[in-house]
Amino acid sequence: MRPFTYERATSAQDAAAKAASMPGARFIAGGTNLLDLMKLEIETPTHLIDVNGLGMDKIEEIDGGGLRIGALVRNTDLAADKRVREDYAVLTRALVAGASGQLRNKATTAGNLLQRTRCPYFYDVNMPCNKRKPGSGCAAIGGFSRQLAVVGTSEACIATHPSDMAVAMRVLDASVETIRPDGTTRAISIAEFHRLPGDTPHRDTVLDKGEMIISVALPRQRGGTHIYRKVRDRASYAFALVSVAAVIGRDGRGAVALGGVAHKPWREAEADALLPKGAGPVADRLFAEAAPREDNAFKITLAKRTIASVIAEAREA
């Protein structure tokens, strides 16, 4: 691990301003992803800004319905919150399916959304990776791609986003609330927050330099059956090969989002509209532009079967 300096932020705007003005500065809270990447010298920040003391650790009700989740709410606390368990059960299920209890006790809401890919070539500093070093190439293309993306890819990157929580947030139509270095704030739809790789895969999100997440807002929910189904190589401590988050009402209408198949949580409005017609049309729409590799083509069949299982379970609920 390379040397770095450290400070504790005194306010959200101060943290954002410092991050914008200091080259190589990074925010740190739980550190469950960042510290690992620093040890491997994949991330080499020169300055860490500790935001743990900023008080953004509350879950509050929003006027008119919905919840506002502070950026520093730990995954364990979010999953256990009574309001989340009752009204946003898909989120609780996704959080419990991710990582270990020890990691959930430290990991934060913002950090979960911002975690980097688990592509093996990203983690191997001896291999070219456009996400780690822009312009160096993508060793995954033509390499071992079993865990990597099958849709929304580009010629520069076929990595997947690893978060379970983000997939549930996507199906719930969450919005990410941020503060900029000048103190202004904005709300970003979760649908727009994560980027597809294109020719700039090193940019995971639409955040500007220094911009910091302060909370995530969940809109008022209208009920329905909440399901999170995660398919992985082993029962725990493994990232999804395919995951399905669904909120489906008694009339068969609702929303479905996928994890493990793209650079971001994968959802399409056209696929949601097809839910009353059954799993086949939904899956066909979601993978209409898929570009699988030899090692990961099985993900499409696996995802289609998982979607069918989830829809069948929702109809029987």
Side-chain angles (χ1 to χ4, degrees):
M1 186 181 289
R2 299 185 185 183
F4 58 89
T5 54
Y6 168 91
E7 70 173 298
R8 293 177 178 172
T10 57
S11 70
Q13 183 181 351
D14 172 65
K18 289 283 182 62
S21 63
M22 300 183 67
R26 292 291 303 273
F27 304 120
I28 188 168
T32 58
N33 188 206
L34 178 60
L35 290 178
D36 284 343
L37 295 176
M38 289 173 65
K39 292 174 184 177
L40 295 170
E41 295 193 358
I42 295 168
E43 294 274 4
T44 56
T46 57
H47 186 70
L48 293 184
I49 302 170
D50 188 333
V51 298
N52 281 297
L54 299 184
M56 300 181 295
D57 58 354
K58 304 291 190 300
I59 303 174
E60 302 171 319
E61 296 182 9
I62 299 172
D63 291 343
L67 291 178
R68 176 165 286 108
I69 303 161
L72 297 175
V73 172
R74 307 293 162 165
N75 286 179
T76 294
D77 295 330
L78 181 57
D81 187 271
K82 181 180 179 181
R83 295 161 295 185
V84 175
R85 288 188 288 111
E86 290 181 352
D87 296 333
Y88 307 91
V90 66
L91 180 54
T92 289
R93 291 168 181 164
L95 286 163
V96 172
S100 65
Q102 295 94 327
L103 285 172
R104 293 197 299 271
N105 288 343
K106 290 293 293 181
T108 63
T109 298
N112 194 307
L113 291 175
L114 294 172
Q115 63 183 300
R116 307 300 304 276
T117 183
R118 262 58 180 193
C119 173
Y121 298 100
F122 174 76
Y123 272 78
D124 186 348
V125 294
N126 295 307
M127 302 298 289
C129 172
N130 289 316
K131 182 175 283 294
R132 177 171 23 85
K133 186 178 180 181
S136 64
C138 177
I141 297 176
F144 183 66
S145 59
R146 183 173 184 273
Q147 292 185 322
L148 303 179
V150 295
V151 66
T153 60
S154 74
E155 291 303 311
C157 183
I158 59 172
T160 55
H161 193 275
S163 173
D164 292 289
M165 186 194 78
V167 182
M169 292 286 196
R170 180 69 182 91
V171 87
L172 291 171
D173 292 315
S175 60
V176 181
E177 300 173 331
T178 70
I179 187 167
R180 292 185 172 113
D182 63 0
T184 59
T185 60
R186 65 166 171 161
I188 308 165
S189 165
I190 192 72
E192 304 298 328
F193 181 74
H194 295 105
R195 302 175 72 254
L196 291 178
D199 58 3
T200 55
H202 59 287
R203 292 191 59 203
D204 293 329
T205 72
V206 298
L207 293 177
D208 295 327
K209 184 175 176 58
E211 190 171 9
M212 185 177 75
I213 298 173
I214 54 176
S215 58
V216 176
L218 298 178
R220 182 176 182 178
Q221 288 300 295
R222 297 188 294 271
T225 299
H226 289 225
I227 300 171
Y228 189 76
R229 185 75 49 79
K230 182 176 182 178
V231 184
R232 44 191 163 175
D233 283 324
R234 57 183 187 269
S236 62
Y237 307 114
F239 295 96
L241 290 170
V242 167
S243 64
V244 178
V247 178
I248 300 176
R250 292 184 177 180
D251 60 358
R253 300 183 184 279
V256 171
L258 305 182
V261 299
H263 201 254
K264 61 187 287 186
W266 193 251
R267 178 183 170 191
E268 291 190 8
E270 294 87 349
D272 290 344
L274 294 170
L275 273 169
K277 296 184 178 181
V282 172
D284 288 343
R285 177 59 259 173
L286 286 168
F287 292 105
E289 298 179 5
R293 309 283 161 168
E294 182 179 357
D295 293 331
N296 64 10
F298 76 96
K299 279 194 175 191
I300 296 177
T301 300
L302 182 61
K304 288 182 176 182
R305 291 175 178 173
T306 307
I307 293 168
S309 175
V310 165
I311 292 176
E313 180 180 339
R315 287 177 172 174
E316 293 171 0

